[in-house]
Amino acid sequence: MTMAQALIAFLKNQYIACDGVESPFFAGCFGIFGHGNVGGIGQALQQMPDFRYYQSRNEQAMVHAAVAYAKTKNRLQAFACTSSIGPGATNMLTGAATATINRLPVLLLPGDIFARRNVAPVLQQLEFEHSQDISVNDCFKPVSRYWDRISRPEQLLTTLPEALRVLTSPIETGTVTLALPQDVQTEAYAYPSEFFERRTWHIARNRPDRRALEQAAAWIRASERPLIIAGGGVIYAGVTELLCNFVERSGIPVGETMAGKGGLRYDHPLNLGAIGVTGTFAANRLAREADLVIGIGTRYSDFTTASKTAFQHPNVRFININCAEFDAFKHRACPLVGDAQATLEELQTLLGDYAVAVDYREQAERLHSAWDREVERIYELRNEPLPSQGELIGAVNELSSPDAIMVCAAGSLPGDLHKLWRARHPKNYHLEYGYSCMGYEIAGGLGIKMAAPERDVYVMVGDGSYLMMNSEIVTSIQENYKLIIVLLDNHGFKSIGSLSRSLGQEGFGTRYAYPENGALPGDVQGTEVRPLPVDLATNARSLGAHVIECKSHADFVAALEAAKAVERTTVIYVQNDRYQEVPGYESWWDVPVAEVSTKPQVEVARAQWEEKRQQERYFL
């Protein structure tokens, strides 16, 4: 077999098993062919049609689709992605970082330079004066969990098992990159037949150290104001029901990270909603006073910890339940290194009839109810002349099927969604916020729909992200995967515009308008700007989507209902108010302000920043 044929044949026979359920690990291969992979991987995929090939329009987008697919499948199934040499390969770098930062499996197969070198420099080759063994694919090393260059066909025999070990590991998973020299892809080798026998990779539910469990149970019993932070590990480990039972028995309230939202239904009386920078006043108030924080499957990003200002109790302690030792030890925690299901089961047994004090539980339930009323208030806003983002989120939330999946990634939408979206099941809320990558949304929506074709998929995307990457609308049409894309147009970068104003910079460079006197206008110009003649609705039509244009909240509601009956990808286009914002609720994010400036408002912002920074903590 050629090296490329052997690679595809091996991938076809890889299976994964968790809790006794076994399934193929790879769902197929996304790709765009060029001279660097068409005669190798391209020929192998043509020869083996049972390993389905999907044509993409943008290499970054296809990796995003693969990432979203893996997340929807709880990391139990993944895609390979193949590209040509050069720009096709480097286009995948952003997707590779997205996968690794979010700890989601994806296998990248970029074409590479000739291993035999005699015809170098080949088309699109980066030459390096001090080595002949470097190509642009070396850029993937820092954003990959495993990286290799296959310079001889037989190297697959040792590389592919290692690649699958990493891809199927809950701890190590992320991007695996195998750089494939274009000549070696086509070279034949007599591979041993046993290499292609079916292999099953088992997901272990490792149990934590008993001593650490006993210490954790003692800390919980000694605490007066414990708080759970539910991270993405709650959903990946499939412990949403177990968490609900643990919370009901103990009375410990829960705050949710971006990845963990949906781990507990929104209407559970002890679910305080989002925590941190984009959090609710309910979760942030209890976080500020918590004397014990129990993190389950969270890596404590700065958004979760509000740049280390969220937890202000002088003697706060942490218990971290995580399969990754790296995360379990953060904040000088009592580390429960193990699977979340095994850990919660043993911890619950050790705690027995433990429960928090009645007044603490009642306080948490009152905060839950107060927050629910705040969400309702924002849902019922009828801002004029343009609707607010919050009320549009409310319409999508209330009019979409309870089984639907909503996807978003970047801009001001994630913060508002984290606060306002009422998650009804563990997959109802799909946010890529580890990398917060603009352009993920539509490609991610495609991957989600492929993973869950029985569910409606709502892509919520701003005009900034839409303009960065809308190409996979075409792929959704080609493959008949219907998306409902809610395109919110506020004529610029709404999120960074708001951040810029908070830094005293007046929204500089964040509006879509013609420059005046050689400079782009900021927010101080108000409505006295010349808007760009861009028609996003017409653009979406040109890509094959059905488009419904809206001018008001009532139009938007009607469009959401009408979109359900359309058989192909539908874009609901609506303009929304750039300045009407969902409040921040008793939290802060550390974005440094210029220390010196000729602008007084920057100096004011700097003084405020220096004051807030005093609240940042080390947990030593």
Side-chain angles (χ1 to χ4, degrees):
M1 307 175 77
T2 68
M3 182 267 271
Q5 292 163 1
L7 192 157
I8 300 302
F10 179 88
L11 298 184
K12 287 198 307 179
N13 286 306
Q14 304 308 300
Y15 286 74
I16 193 166
C18 182
D19 297 335
V21 179
E22 189 171 313
S23 59
F25 183 63
F26 287 100
C29 182
F30 288 110
I32 296 177
F33 295 136
H35 70 279
N37 64 342
V38 65
I41 293 293
Q43 188 279 332
L45 288 165
Q46 181 186 28
Q47 185 171 307
M48 299 180 221
D50 52 336
F51 195 80
R52 175 65 201 278
Y53 169 72
Y54 295 89
Q55 183 185 75
S56 300
R57 271 76 202 166
N58 179 288
E59 290 90 354
Q60 181 186 148
M62 70 187 182
V63 184
H64 287 329
V67 168
Y69 184 97
K71 181 172 183 174
T72 306
K73 289 289 189 178
N74 279 351
R75 306 191 291 203
L76 297 177
Q77 201 167 33
F79 264 91
C81 296
T82 182
S83 79
S84 188
I85 182 178
T90 54
N91 273 355
M92 295 197 293
L93 277 167
T94 297
T98 301
T100 294
I101 287 171
N102 286 283
R103 302 178 188 183
L104 293 165
V106 62
L107 174 61
L108 303 188
L109 305 172
D112 209 335
I113 57 179
F114 277 61
R116 56 184 164 87
R117 300 180 179 173
N118 65 311
V119 294
V122 299
L123 180 64
Q124 299 174 326
Q125 177 176 345
L126 170 72
E127 291 188 273
F128 187 67
E129 295 88 341
H130 307 294
S131 173
Q132 295 186 54
D133 194 33
I134 286 180
S135 79
V136 295
N137 288 335
D138 288 79
C139 296
F140 285 96
K141 288 179 178 178
V143 293
S144 298
R145 296 292 286 165
Y146 183 87
W147 185 98
D148 202 356
R149 176 175 284 121
I150 309 302
S151 56
R152 293 176 60 90
E154 62 267 35
Q155 289 176 348
L156 285 184
L157 297 171
T158 53
T159 289
L160 286 179
E162 284 300 296
L164 266 293
R165 176 188 64 79
V166 172
L167 286 167
T168 58
S169 167
I171 303 164
E172 298 293 330
T173 196
T175 296
V176 168
T177 302
L178 302 181
L180 307 178
Q182 51 197 297
D183 54 341
V184 181
Q185 289 181 46
T186 65
E187 292 176 7
Y189 180 78
Y191 291 93
S193 58
E194 56 264 33
F195 185 61
F196 305 105
E197 293 175 357
R198 176 171 172 152
R199 299 189 186 198
T200 301
W201 303 82
H202 293 270
I203 304 300
R205 291 199 178 274
N206 296 322
R207 316 192 83 80
D209 175 68
R210 181 70 182 185
R211 184 205 60 78
L213 275 167
E214 290 171 351
Q215 181 184 61
W219 282 15
I220 293 171
R221 287 186 174 279
S223 68
E224 296 180 354
R225 304 185 66 82
L227 175 69
I228 291 171
I229 296 180
V234 168
I235 295 173
Y236 296 142
V239 295
T240 55
E241 291 185 12
L242 181 57
L243 174 63
C244 182
N245 180 263
F246 184 87
V247 168
E248 288 176 354
R249 287 180 58 175
S250 67
I252 302 176
V254 176
E256 301 170 309
T257 70
M258 282 282 189
K261 192 174 177 71
L264 195 64
R265 267 187 63 99
Y266 82 93
D267 52 1
H268 192 289
L270 290 173
N271 186 349
L272 305 178
I275 193 167
V277 175
T278 52
T280 72
F281 60 67
N284 286 337
R285 286 176 191 173
L286 286 200
R288 188 165 56 246
E289 302 168 359
D291 60 356
L292 179 67
V293 177
I294 305 168
I296 308 176
T298 178
R299 62 191 184 95
Y300 291 108
S301 77
D302 66 336
F303 261 63
T304 299
T305 69
S307 300
K308 299 293 195 298
T309 66
F311 314 112
Q312 290 296 322
H313 191 287
N315 300 313
V316 64
R317 296 193 290 192
F318 294 83
I319 296 170
N320 292 338
I321 299 171
N322 209 296
C323 60
E325 186 178 74
F326 178 74
D327 292 314
F329 274 82
K330 287 178 177 176
H331 296 172
R332 201 188 178 191
C334 171
L336 300 183
V337 183
D339 173 74
Q341 177 179 301
T343 304
L344 281 176
E345 286 174 347
E346 291 204 21
L347 193 57
Q348 190 156 274
T349 299
L350 285 172
L351 288 172
D353 59 356
Y354 163 83
V356 301
V358 173
D359 60 343
Y360 181 56
R361 181 171 188 149
E362 288 177 347
Q363 180 191 9
E365 291 176 349
R366 287 194 302 272
L367 283 168
H368 166 89
S369 297
W371 175 250
D372 193 59
R373 291 191 296 272
E374 174 67 358
V375 172
E376 200 64 33
R377 180 189 71 81
I378 294 171
Y379 277 15
E380 292 176 358
L381 286 174
R382 295 297 177 262
N383 195 64
E384 296 288 350
L386 296 176
S388 67
Q389 191 160 273
E391 65 191 87
L392 296 176
I393 289 171
V396 177
N397 201 177
E398 292 182 332
L399 295 174
S400 59
S401 165
D403 293 329
I405 300 176
M406 180 279 303
V407 56
C408 189
S412 61
L413 272 168
D416 292 355
L417 286 162
H418 194 205
K419 299 181 186 84
L420 302 178
W421 189 265
R422 290 167 165 168
R424 297 157 286 187
H425 62 83
K427 294 298 176 183
N428 191 215
Y429 179 90
H430 181 119
L431 259 286
E432 189 291 290
Y433 214 65
Y435 209 36
S436 186
C437 186
M438 294 180 72
Y440 174 92
E441 295 89 345
I442 294 173
L446 173 62
I448 294 166
K449 187 66 175 179
M450 294 174 73
E454 74 284 0
R455 297 182 188 267
D456 292 333
V457 176
Y458 288 80
V459 177
M460 298 201 70
V461 60
D463 49 336
S465 276
Y466 177 87
L467 285 168
M468 281 201 176
M469 192 170 296
N470 51 48
S471 58
E472 300 320 293
I473 289 177
V474 179
T475 309
S476 74
I477 298 293
Q478 180 181 38
E479 295 291 343
N480 197 29
Y481 285 111
K482 177 192 171 183
L483 307 175
I484 299 174
I485 300 171
V486 178
L487 173 53
L488 279 61
D489 186 358
N490 48 67
H491 302 284
F493 300 124
K494 185 176 190 292
S495 174
I496 299 303
S498 174
L499 180 60
S500 173
R501 293 191 296 275
S502 75
L503 303 180
Q505 294 173 217
E506 302 171 340
F508 170 72
T510 64
R511 299 184 71 177
Y512 292 164
Y514 283 108
E516 297 288 346
N517 301 317
L520 289 169
D523 290 321
V524 292
Q525 280 81 7
T527 58
E528 301 302 315
V529 298
R530 289 189 298 148
L532 301 179
V534 177
D535 189 336
L536 299 183
T538 298
N539 173 265
R541 283 192 189 93
S542 75
L543 298 176
H546 178 74
V547 176
I548 306 173
E549 297 184 56
C550 309
K551 293 186 179 300
S552 66
H553 182 273
D555 290 345
F556 187 71
V557 168
L560 286 169
E561 292 293 349
K564 296 176 183 178
V566 181
E567 294 184 354
R568 72 180 192 275
T569 289
T570 299
V571 173
I572 300 173
Y573 172 84
V574 62
Q575 294 185 44
N576 66 299
D577 193 307
R578 173 178 169 82
Y579 302 105
Q580 178 68 39
E581 299 179 351
V582 177
Y585 294 99
E586 304 176 25
S587 191
W588 182 67
W589 186 34
D590 188 344
V591 177
V593 184
E595 190 167 5
V596 295
S597 174
T598 58
K599 291 183 174 292
Q601 64 269 29
V602 173
E603 294 182 341
V604 170
R606 174 72 186 196
Q608 294 170 344
W609 175 81
E610 289 177 346
E611 181 180 350
K612 288 287 187 181
R613 262 207 69 193
Q614 301 305 311
Q615 299 177 31
E616 293 181 0
R617 298 186 62 182
Y618 290 98
F619 300 106
L620 303 174

